[in-house]
Amino acid sequence: FRSKEYPVQELTTRCFTGVEIALFSAGASRSKEFASHAVKAGAVVVDNSSAFRMDADVPLVVPEINPEDIQKHKGIIANPNCSTIIAIVAVNPIHRVAKVKRMVVSTYQAASGAGAKAMEELEEQTRDVLAGKPPRPASNLFPQVDVFLDNGYTKEEMKMLNETRKIMHAPDILVSATCVRVPVLRAHSIAINLTLEKELSVAQVRDIIAKAPGCRLVDDVASRKYPMPIDASFQDEVLVGRIRKDI
């Protein structure tokens, strides 16, 4: 990596000696199997899976929102769901000014969220469609991200409710999400409708977003400037635009 060689070792319960920070991103089952061994060896685990997010003893942290929660860790720090992070990096600054009562969320999630194989599948099937072959699932809109639950929502959609409440320390906030996989390679997009406890003008919201850490205001419809996945790819900021009052 960058002209320097690094050893790649098999993951075992005994390989964490001397490790200070362990970044886990191999799925919840692997995290549950190995995280405790890393903690016992003295490492701090930052886990990117869903394994520990709702554990009461594990802080669920977005640095722009609740970095102070890191101090409460007992060896494991959880990283939230991708769509949740994107949404609340923009919503939380508004919440601090005018408490959010309810969020109605629609996501347009890129193939990258399903991993490298999904991205390869999209590229392959796009070539097939352009060659005149019948379209296959990756070239479609797929209104199911994760498995369906008894209430008709998917696990991904319920994550947006439960994780938002925990990260923002807002146990009463209401979130209704619909998550859709779209044929875009990178960068998830989200449409959010907010109900606030007090009225804010569009100008006030724009000012809040312009000053918010992790956000970049892209909101000039007269010049056709609004958030798009191509512009959001390969950088960390959450692009925010199309801000308007609900009629």
Side-chain angles (χ1 to χ4, degrees), residues 91 95 99-105 153 157 160-162 164-165 168 170-177 192-195:
V91 168
H95 178 70
K99 187 177 178 182
V100 175
K101 294 166 62 178
R102 184 170 186 261
M103 297 168 52
V104 178
V105 180
Y153 286 84
E157 291 158 356
M160 295 199 74
L161 166 65
N162 297 323
T164 293
R165 287 178 167 178
M168 289 173 51
D172 298 325
I173 197 168
L174 302 175
V175 182
S176 179
I192 306 174
N193 180 289
L194 298 178
T195 302

Side-chain angles (χ1 to χ4, degrees), residues 24 30-40 45 52 76:
F24 278 58
R30 287 288 178 268
S31 293
K32 289 176 181 177
E33 183 178 356
F34 291 100
S36 61
H37 297 283
V39 173
K40 286 177 185 175
V45 172
F52 307 107
I76 300 174

